[in-house]
């Protein structure tokens, strides 16, 4: 018996010490009854003291083979992390209006000319003042690079200095999304003097004008940032340090949030909000984004089942984006056309040609095309909620007599199958696009001659491409809305890539540890956009 | 001379095994669906960028040439560069090894400290209708519950009721030893459930095998106390299979803590390999698997030596093992 007693004693002692060590008295949520201004999910309580360390948990690290170079960054998770150290000439507000950042104002003397007046007192984190040469050099470097973002800047003809404190950009023709394209991390102002003299390699070092400076980064493990004491905006950033833990497993992020080791976590599964329901001092919010899921129908494979546009149109008609949003995304997504729902000037998905047609009409189109017993494989990646979206698609299409086999792959296999070969070998595939901050930007991906990456499964449509370019030139207003509506209708009829529903972002934070600022809708997938405002209530 | 021959033989067979493993893993990662370029550079990359990446990492060369270059580099201690982090794989493995090592030491210690006494207890107290069945049921459960199920359950429960044990986070030992232990206890416990169960079962079977030996009957006849008999006659003679098992478990845990590290978000070798497989980061997967194989081989040699110490009849110099 003695060994058992001893074991029990040891166990009791361990438990007692463990409980004693827990002793965290979490203050109850002081749920301030401050109404959030329009366009915000939360605003940081400015009456709270500054300082402290902010601990975050995110699902993925910046995993680009291009390193830290912001100009070559092409995914939102990388933009999010780099945005702590890099800044752009302009930014976007909660309503997607373009607002000053490193340029405190700008003139547009004619629709093809932009003159940016640089903010005074901006320095890079090494202490050197940002100059017009840095801005000119950064933009020229971006335009000369292989960056995806180069195309989003539009038809830039020249970038020149306009005196010591201004930069002039001339376009070869008007391009409305230009300012919105300047508001994202790939268009960040880089320390060109140091890059040119090779004392800094932007692929290896983050040296920007942003609120935080990197102290340490371990790939797929963590980032440690400390405040940039030379930051131009007085009083910002509020927190002294930001620790970002990379936790690919959703359960680990939820656990870190619940036990307080993370003050804010990004969540991927729409059901995670339910899992956290009732968790003490944890608030879960859904940030709408302009990102959206879409269906690719491969018209380029040998013997393609989707070469006939009537078959593709039948698929578009039979799909029910509202049901996808409600069932697969827990009501958090919105049906969308190719201009992302939520952006000013975006098309109304209910006004698309396919939206007004019935399943019977879809069946008739299939019969006319001789494809009554259409069966195809839908390739998806296994990350939630893609499997749930695919299941609703499968049920939708069954109504029109189409049989869908779902093929679930890990992301690398999926990526290889969809983008690895031209012509691509899949039947249909599900993916999502970042929607950006102007309704005309993502429409460019419907032109495979511009986008390039989709040439393996999509045939260019001359008429659609002309409409996309025309909408890009129209200044904001009724004429542009009409031009965009024409793009949406044409893309809907073409149906090689069918937009489905917007992709929500779920964010959870500890109300006893953090008072954050968050936009209600985000265009560049940047949950950390307003991190410099966040107030730390207590470091856990 | 015989010892020298034994070492030479082991060195040769180990090298041959490692070479075989290296060929297998090198071929396997290249046969995996999903190209490195689409995965690493993303869909937006141009053909030119993909070609540039292939040239940078030598992936445009014939596979056997790639293998030759890699093998020569590995022989010189260079495990290549990660395509994602662009850091040397060897340095990253070295940085992550202490996490997996600590996890393994804790799990193996728990297996030895809990599994062996449990096995002895269930063997010496086994009688018809006694606790043997319960013991077998418990150890059966421990063996059969998958680590990701148990791990997820533990993460869920302890995220709500932490009891001072951290979940979903990790603190380096050098930064705060107490906090480090608080983050390691639960993953080590999950990892050790399987090992404790197997150890207890193996110990029980070994002890039962010794209990029927004539010298035990003689000791009982001499009136020696039960615990004296356990210590002096049973444990030493039952130790060989248990030591062999603990050695194998150590090698298994070092190479196979993949799931537990992933579920608990520990920056060890296991989670490094899991992430690398997902991204087709070839150099990391190759180095990781080779390391795991090397650990297995080294552990096997150590087990052979240790068994020889415990039972000279089975030792290296007894000529019974090659």
């Amino acid at each position: 018996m003695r060994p058992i007693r001893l074991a029990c004693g040891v166990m009791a002692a361990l438990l007692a010490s463990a409980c004693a060590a827990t002793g965290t008295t979490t203050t109850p949520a002081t749920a301030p009854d401050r109404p959030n201004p329009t366009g915000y999910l939360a605003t940081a309580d400015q009456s709270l003291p500054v300082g402290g360390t902010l601990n975050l948990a995110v699902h993925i690290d910046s995993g680009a083979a291009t390193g830290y170079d912001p100009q070559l960054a092409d995914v939102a998770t990388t933009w999010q992390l780099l945005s702590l150290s890099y800044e752009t000439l302009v930014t976007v507000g909660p309503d997607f209006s373009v607002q000053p950042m490193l340029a405190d104002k700008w003139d547009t003397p004619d629709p093809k000319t932009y003159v940016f007046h640089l903010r005074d007192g901006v320095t890079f984190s090494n202490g050197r003042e940002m100059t017009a040469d840095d801005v000119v050099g950064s933009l020229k470097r971006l335009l000369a690079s292989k960056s995806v973002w180069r195309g989003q800047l539009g038809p830039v003809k020249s970038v020149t200095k306009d005196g010591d404190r201004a930069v002039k950009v001339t376009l070869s023709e008007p391009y409305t999304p230009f300012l919105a394209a300047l508001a994202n991390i790939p268009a960040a102002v880089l320390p060109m003097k140091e890059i040119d003299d090779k004392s800094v390699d932007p692929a290896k070092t983050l040296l920007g004008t942003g609120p935080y400076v990197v102290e340490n980064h371990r790939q797929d493990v963590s980032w440690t940032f400390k405040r940039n004491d030379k930051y131009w905006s007085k009083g910002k950033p509020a927190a002294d340090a930001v620790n970002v833990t990379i936790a690919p497993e959703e359960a680990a992020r939820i656990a870190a949030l619940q036990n307080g080791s993370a003050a804010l976590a990004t969540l991927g599964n729409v059901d995670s909000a339910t899992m956290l329901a009732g968790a003490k001092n944890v608030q879960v919010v859904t940030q709408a984004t302009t990102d959206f899921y879409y269906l690719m129908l491969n018209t380029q494979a040998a013997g393609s089942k989707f070469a006939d546009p009537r078959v593709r149109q039948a698929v578009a008609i039979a799909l029910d984006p509202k049901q996808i949003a409600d069932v697969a995304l827990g009501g958090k997504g919105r049906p969308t056309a190719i201009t992302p729902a939520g952006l000013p000037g975006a098309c109304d998905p209910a006004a698309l040609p396919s939206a007004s047609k019935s399943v019977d009409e879809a069946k008739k189109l299939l019969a006319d095309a001789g494809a009554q017993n259409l069966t195809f494989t839908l390739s998806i990646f296994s990350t939630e909620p893609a499997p749930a979206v695919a299941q609703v698609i499968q049920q939708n299409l069954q109504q029109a007599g189409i049989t869908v086999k779902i093929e679930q792959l890990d992301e690398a296999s999926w990526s290889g199958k969809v983008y690895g070969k031209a012509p691509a070998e899949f039947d249909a595939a599900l993916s999502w696009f970042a929607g950006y901050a102007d309704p005309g930007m993502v429409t460019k991906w419907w032109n495979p001659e511009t986008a390039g990456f989709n040439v393996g499964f999509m045939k260019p449509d001359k008429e659609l491409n002309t409409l996309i370019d025309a909408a890009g030139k129209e200044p904001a207003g009724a004429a542009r809305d009409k031009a965009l509506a024409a793009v949406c209708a044409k893309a809907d009829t073409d149906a090689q890539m069918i937009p489905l529903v917007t992709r929500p972002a779920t964010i959870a934070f500890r109300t006893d540890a953090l008072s954050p600022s968050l936009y209600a809708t985000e265009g560049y997938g940047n949950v950390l956009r307003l991190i410099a405002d966040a107030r730390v209530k207590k470091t856990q | 001379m015989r010892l020298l021959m034994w070492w030479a033989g082991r060195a040769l067979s180990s090298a041959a095994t490692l070479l075989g493993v290296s060929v297998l893993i090198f071929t396997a990662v290249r046969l995996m669906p999903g190209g490195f370029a689409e995965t690493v550079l993303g869909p937006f990359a141009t053909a030119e960028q993909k070609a540039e990446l292939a040239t940078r990492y030598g992936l445009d060369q014939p596979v056997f040439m790639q293998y030759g270059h890699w093998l020569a580099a590995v022989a010189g201690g260079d495990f290549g560069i990660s395509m994602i982090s662009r850091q040397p794989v060897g340095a990253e493995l070295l940085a992550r090894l202490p996490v997996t090592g600590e996890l393994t030491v804790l799990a193996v210690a728990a297996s030895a400290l809990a599994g062996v006494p449990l096995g002895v207890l269930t063997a010496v107290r086994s009688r018809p209708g006694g606790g043997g069945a319960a013991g077998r049921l418990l150890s059966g459960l421990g063996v059969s519950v998958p680590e990701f199920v148990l791990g997820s359950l533990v993460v869920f429960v302890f995220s709500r009721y932490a009891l001072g044990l951290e979940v979903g986070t990790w603190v380096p030992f050098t930064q705060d030893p107490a906090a480090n232990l608080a983050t390691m206890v639960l993953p080590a416990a999950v990892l050790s459930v399987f090992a404790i169960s197997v150890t207890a079962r193996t110990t029980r079977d070994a002890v039962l095998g010794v209990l029927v030996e004539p010298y035990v009957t003689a000791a009982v006849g001499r009136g020696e106390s039960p615990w004296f008999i356990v210590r002096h006659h049973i444990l030493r003679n039952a130790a060989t299979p248990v030591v062999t098992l603990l050695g194998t478990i150590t090698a298994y845990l070092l190479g196979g803590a993949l799931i537990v590290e992933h579920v608990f978000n520990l920056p060890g070798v296991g989670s490094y390999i899991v992430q690398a497989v997902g991204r087709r980061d070839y150099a990391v997967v190759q180095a990781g698997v080779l390391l795991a194989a090397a650990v297995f081989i080294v552990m096997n040699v150590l087990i052979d030596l240790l068994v020889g110490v415990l039972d000279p009849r089975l030792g290296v110099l007894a000529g019974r093992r090659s």
Side-chain angles (χ1 to χ4, degrees), chain B residues 209-235:
Chain B
V210 176
L211 278 177
V212 295
E213 293 288 342
Y215 54 81
V216 175
T217 316
V220 174
R222 284 195 297 272
E224 291 173 5
S225 81
W227 286 113
F228 183 85
I229 294 172
V230 166
R231 280 200 301 273
H232 287 263
H233 299 295
I234 298 177
L235 274 184

Side-chain angles (χ1 to χ4, degrees), chain A residues 209-403:
Chain A
T209 61
Y212 287 100
V213 185
V214 179
E215 268 202 317
N216 188 30
H217 173 217
R218 279 195 65 198
Q219 182 70 43
D220 299 322
V221 177
S222 62
W223 288 78
T224 312
F225 293 88
K226 65 171 184 182
R227 80 193 304 276
N228 175 5
D229 290 326
K230 302 176 186 76
Y231 191 53
W232 55 269
S233 182
K234 296 299 161 223
K236 286 186 186 180
D240 289 335
V242 177
N243 295 328
V244 184
T245 300
I246 313 298
E249 273 289 291
E250 183 109 336
R253 269 172 281 134
I254 289 178
L257 199 70
Q258 286 189 316
N259 66 31
S261 54
L264 183 144
T266 56
L267 303 175
N269 195 333
V270 286
D271 296 330
S272 292
T274 316
M275 275 187 73
L276 278 163
K280 202 176 168 191
N281 297 327
V282 175
Q283 188 176 343
V284 184
V285 292
T286 302
Q287 186 176 54
T289 77
T290 60
D291 306 346
F292 60 86
Y293 290 97
Y294 67 99
L295 185 66
M296 291 167 254
L297 301 179
N298 185 357
T299 60
Q300 299 304 294
S304 165
K305 295 172 179 180
F306 299 107
D308 190 325
R310 290 172 296 184
V311 178
R312 306 197 298 269
Q313 283 156 15
V315 171
I317 292 167
L319 287 169
D320 185 351
K322 178 80 173 61
Q323 198 178 37
I324 296 172
D326 289 345
V327 177
L329 302 178
K332 303 288 200 297
R334 289 170 65 181
T336 183
I338 80 166
T339 55
L343 279 174
C347 314
D348 177 5
L352 295 174
S354 64
S356 58
K357 297 199 170 82
S358 67
V359 175
D360 287 338
E361 284 169 279
K363 284 180 180 167
K364 186 172 179 311
L365 281 169
L366 287 171
D368 292 348
Q372 292 95 325
N373 299 313
L374 179 65
T375 299
F376 69 87
T377 303
L378 174 59
S379 303
I380 63 165
F381 41 79
S382 48
T383 318
E384 285 291 353
V389 172
Q391 279 166 19
V392 182
I393 290 174
Q394 188 181 43
Q395 286 161 17
N396 284 168
L397 298 190
Q398 208 170 15
Q399 308 291 317
I402 302 169
T403 307

Side-chain angles (χ1 to χ4, degrees), chain A residues 1 4 15 18-19 21-22 60-67 72 74 146-148 203-204 218-221 245-249 251-252 254-256 258-259 261 275-279 410-413 415-417 419-420 433 436 445 451 453, chain B residues 32-35 38-46 48-50 52-53 56-57 82-87 92 95-96 121 125 152 155-156 158-160 162-170 227 262-265 267 272 275 277-280:
Chain A
M1 282 308 279
I4 293 171
L15 275 175
C19 293
T22 314
I60 192 169
D61 200 350
S62 153
T66 46
L72 300 176
D74 58 7
K146 292 165 188 156
S147 169
V148 175
K204 293 180 181 163
R218 279 195 65 198
Q219 182 70 43
D220 299 322
V221 177
T245 300
I246 313 298
E249 273 289 291
I254 289 178
Q258 286 189 316
N259 66 31
S261 54
M275 275 187 73
L276 278 163
D410 72 291
E411 293 220 22
S413 303
S415 188
K417 185 158 193 170
Y419 301 111
F433 277 137
Y436 308 143
W445 299 153
F453 62 86
Chain B
M32 281 157 82
E38 293 78 32
T39 312
V40 172
L41 290 176
F44 294 118
T46 60
E48 198 186 348
Q49 284 172 300
K50 289 178 188 176
E52 202 178 289
L53 188 80
R56 194 194 308 158
Y57 292 103
S82 158
M83 286 196 282
I84 296 292
S85 68
R86 309 210 287 186
Q87 300 294 318
E92 192 59 32
R96 287 168 175 264
L121 209 66
R125 300 224 163 168
S152 302
V155 166
F156 175 74
F158 280 84
S159 62
R160 292 239 163 176
L163 303 175
L165 301 169
E166 297 287 334
V167 178
T169 183
W170 176 77
W227 286 113
H262 193 64
V263 169
F264 284 89
N265 204 38
Y272 189 42
Q275 280 157 346
V277 169
R279 289 168 177 160
R280 310 294 188 257

